[in-house]
Amino acid sequence: MSTEPLPAAPAATPEVVEIERALTRITYLSTRARQHERLMALAGVPLDRAAVALLRQVADSEPLRPGELAHRLGVEASHVTRTVQQLERSGHVTRVPDPDDRRAQRIELTDAGREAVARVRDAGARGMQLALRDWEPGELHQLATLFHRMVDDFLAHSVEDESGDTVGSGRAL
């Protein structure tokens, strides 16, 4: 990953500072080991955080080469290799030939993998529903719309450095 400084940008407004603080808090809360264990128990899926992240990424895309998975997850290729091997042994993913290059392989979810992702997402959504139960439907719609817009803007304003690592606003989170 690049250690280059971020491109020069105007000073952050107080509102942006507060958004960054809130995102940092929610990221911390949602990625704690105890929270992950609780989510996996509710979902009935005994997988570690790396495996769940990989399953979610594959579920949200076409089958991907391991190198592309590593890039999208922002991890070293060796981490993806180990996680894919673990998920192959547990029956959640399989390797399929790459139609563009038969020598290469892509990672694809099995039925068990799709079921695991669905259970994790359902358990997460139910937990979020409980946390946001006092919100009005209009507020929830507005929050969802703004979150998607923010993610799209992060992606649109990311900058690729020469090594292919993404730096910029989308990576700072």
Side-chain angles (χ1 to χ4, degrees):
M1 279 197 202
S2 176
T3 57
E4 299 282 324
L6 294 175
T13 65
E15 296 83 3
V16 169
V17 169
E18 286 305 309
I19 291 168
E20 190 278 335
R21 288 181 67 214
L23 285 173
T24 298
R25 288 178 61 207
I26 200 165
T27 300
Y28 170 76
L29 291 171
S30 67
T31 59
R32 293 184 313 187
R34 190 176 330 180
Q35 178 67 17
H36 176 79
E37 291 167 8
R38 182 173 175 263
L39 179 62
M40 292 305 100
L42 288 171
V45 177
L47 296 172
D48 63 29
R49 287 184 280 185
V52 172
L54 192 144
L55 286 177
R56 285 179 183 256
Q57 184 61 57
V58 174
D60 289 341
S61 62
E62 299 175 11
L64 298 170
R65 288 183 179 189
E68 176 64 18
L69 271 170
H71 177 73
R72 290 186 183 195
L73 293 168
V75 299
E76 298 294 324
S78 61
H79 295 299
V80 167
T81 299
R82 282 191 298 273
T83 303
V84 166
Q85 289 170 345
Q86 168 196 344
L87 289 168
E88 280 182 303
R89 284 191 299 271
S90 64
H92 291 96
V93 300
T94 188
R95 294 175 193 258
V96 296
D98 185 327
D100 299 327
D101 179 354
R102 301 304 260 179
R103 297 169 296 171
Q105 294 182 326
R106 293 185 182 205
I107 308 306
E108 181 176 71
L109 293 181
T110 62
D111 289 341
R114 280 187 284 283
E115 181 182 335
V117 169
R119 291 169 71 174
V120 168
R121 286 183 171 159
D122 180 62
R126 285 186 284 128
M128 190 168 290
Q129 181 70 44
L130 284 172
L132 301 175
R133 69 179 170 255
D134 294 333
W135 289 47
E136 296 294 325
E139 292 173 317
L140 293 171
H141 177 76
Q142 184 179 16
L143 179 64
T145 299
L146 292 172
F147 265 142
H148 283 291
R149 179 179 171 190
M150 184 175 63
V151 170
D152 291 345
D153 286 348
F154 283 171
L155 292 172
H157 291 92
S158 294
V159 179
E160 290 280 331
D161 73 12
E162 292 174 21
S163 68
D165 288 337
T166 302
V167 296
S169 61
R171 200 58 157 172
L173 300 177

